[in-house]
Amino acid sequence: MKPRIDVHLSREDLEAALRADVAAGLTAVPKEIPPKWFYDERGSQLFEEITRLPEYYLTRAERAILEERADYVAGFTRADTLVELGAGTSAKTRLLLKALQAVGCLRRFVPFDVSEPTLRRAAADISEEYPNVEVHAVVGDFEHHLHTIPGAGTRLFAFLGGTIGNLVPEARAGFLAALSAAMEPGDSLLLGTDLLKSVPRMVAAYDDSAGVTAEFNRNLLVVLDRELHADFEPEAFGHVARFEPQGEWIEMWLRADEAQVVVVDDLGLTVRFETAEAMRTEISAKFRRSGIEEELANAELALGRWWTDPGGDFGLSLSFRE
C-alpha cells in the first residue's frame, strides 16, 4: 500500500521560521537558538551516533521499557492507529507496530515530523515492512499542526525519546493542551521522559568523552552559515553542557573562545560576541513522576500506567484523554 504524505510545512515555511528564530535569538539576551535547527542531514547523523554512546543512557533505557511493555500497551489500548510525534526514522516505534499487529488491531500508522525527506524515507520503509497497514505521514511542526493529524479509530499517540524536555514549562503546557484538544475520548498518549538523577550522569550524557555532542552542537553554526549566509566559525566556539537546578534541566551552550563579530547576510544582521559569551542551543528538562502527572492532569490527560527501566533512569507513561 503506497504511503500518503500530507505536507503542511513547505521549504518556504521552514526558511521563514528559521529566519524568524535566528533574528530573535541572536538579538536576545542571552542569545539563544531553538534546538529544532540542529537536524539537518549531518546533525541527524550525529544524533544517531550520540544515541549509541556509552554516556547517553536515554535511548537504551527507553528501549528497555518498550521491549518489556509494548505488548501490554498494545493489548490494553487496542489502538488501530499509531501516531508517532517527532517520528524521525521510527526506529523504536517498530516495537509498538509489531505489538499492535500481533494483537490484530493495527490498521494505520501516522508518522509526524518536521523533516519531509526523513519522513518520506521512514514512511516508505514502514510501508514495505507492513504492506497491509495504511501509512499516512504528516509533515508539520507539533507546536502548530497537531490539528492536522487524521482522526477516526482509536489512536495511540507516541512521543518518545524525552523530546518533550526540549520545551520550557510554558511551551510544554501549551503543547500538551493542544495535543489533548486534538485527541478524542479513548485515545491515549505514550510519553517518554528522562528522570532526574545524579548531576554528573546527566551532564555526561550531553558532554561525551568522544566529543560527538560537541560536534553536534557546533553543527548548528554550520547550518546557519549555509542557510542564512552567515560567517560563524564553528571551531571558534566551545561546547558547554551544564545542569540548571532551578529549572531542573540540562542546558547546552556554545561559548565564544574570543571576542568576534558575526555577519548574517540574509538577515542584514551584525552580531557581536564578547569573549566567553555563550549562546544557549538546547534545554533538556528532567522530570519526577509527580510533576509529569500534574502536567498531564492540567491538560486533561489522566495517567493510567507508569513504568521505568530497571535503573530508574527513564520514565514511560501511558495516559488517556478524560
Side-chain angles (χ1 to χ4, degrees), residues 38-298:
F38 279 131
Y39 298 97
D40 66 344
E41 185 174 356
R42 178 57 178 156
S44 297
Q45 291 171 350
L46 287 167
F47 184 71
E48 286 299 314
E49 289 184 39
I50 288 169
T51 64
R52 296 189 290 269
L53 293 169
E55 296 95 334
Y56 197 80
Y57 57 84
L58 290 80
T59 302
R60 291 188 298 276
E62 185 178 47
R63 186 176 183 89
I65 304 170
L66 285 169
E67 287 174 343
E68 183 176 358
R69 302 296 182 178
D71 290 344
Y72 176 89
V73 171
F76 189 74
T77 64
R78 296 199 64 83
D80 56 47
T81 298
L82 176 62
V83 180
E84 184 180 15
L85 304 176
T89 59
S90 298
K92 283 177 291 189
T93 313
R94 283 168 166 80
L95 294 170
L96 293 170
L97 289 168
K98 181 180 178 181
L100 288 167
Q101 186 180 58
V103 170
C105 55
L106 181 64
R107 181 175 61 84
R108 182 173 57 177
F109 177 52
V110 182
F112 183 103
D113 199 87
V114 71
S115 172
E116 183 175 350
T118 300
L119 200 57
R120 286 188 179 277
R121 286 194 296 271
D125 289 345
I126 296 296
S127 288
E128 186 174 343
E129 291 178 41
Y130 295 86
N132 296 321
V133 173
E134 175 191 352
V135 177
H136 186 163
V138 179
V139 179
D141 185 331
F142 60 67
E143 293 185 75
H144 301 288
H145 300 110
L146 291 176
H147 65 281
T148 68
I149 293 172
T154 302
R155 298 175 297 174
L156 169 62
F157 289 76
F159 194 27
L160 303 175
T163 305
I164 195 170
N166 292 150
L167 304 175
V168 297
E170 297 79 7
R172 283 202 306 272
F175 164 74
L176 288 172
L179 179 58
S180 178
M183 296 169 68
E184 299 290 340
D187 287 347
S188 52
L189 169 64
L190 191 66
L191 179 66
T193 44
D194 192 19
L195 302 180
L196 198 64
K197 57 186 67 65
S198 74
V199 171
R201 279 199 68 212
M202 291 189 294
V203 171
Y206 298 83
D207 193 15
D208 60 278
S209 58
V212 180
T213 311
E215 185 180 351
F216 173 73
N217 199 6
R218 280 191 285 266
N219 186 66
L220 175 63
L221 303 181
V222 176
V223 172
L224 301 187
D225 284 351
R226 182 183 65 244
E227 299 297 332
L228 297 177
H229 298 97
D231 62 355
F232 282 99
E233 296 182 17
E235 295 308 316
F237 287 81
H239 167 69
V240 177
R242 67 190 185 205
F243 181 68
E244 201 289 298
Q246 184 173 355
E248 294 190 330
W249 57 53
I250 295 291
E251 296 182 335
M252 292 205 321
W253 298 74
L254 289 169
R255 184 173 57 202
D257 293 337
E258 57 186 22
Q260 52 195 280
V261 174
V262 175
V263 176
V264 186
D265 280 344
D266 287 6
L267 300 179
L269 191 62
T270 299
V271 183
R272 180 172 181 83
F273 284 83
E274 303 297 338
T275 301
E277 182 181 353
M279 176 172 68
R280 191 168 73 176
T281 56
E282 183 177 80
I283 71 161
S284 183
K286 308 306 170 189
F287 296 89
R288 309 168 191 265
R289 174 177 174 168
S290 58
I292 295 166
E293 191 163 4
E294 181 179 357
E295 292 191 33
L296 291 169
N298 289 340

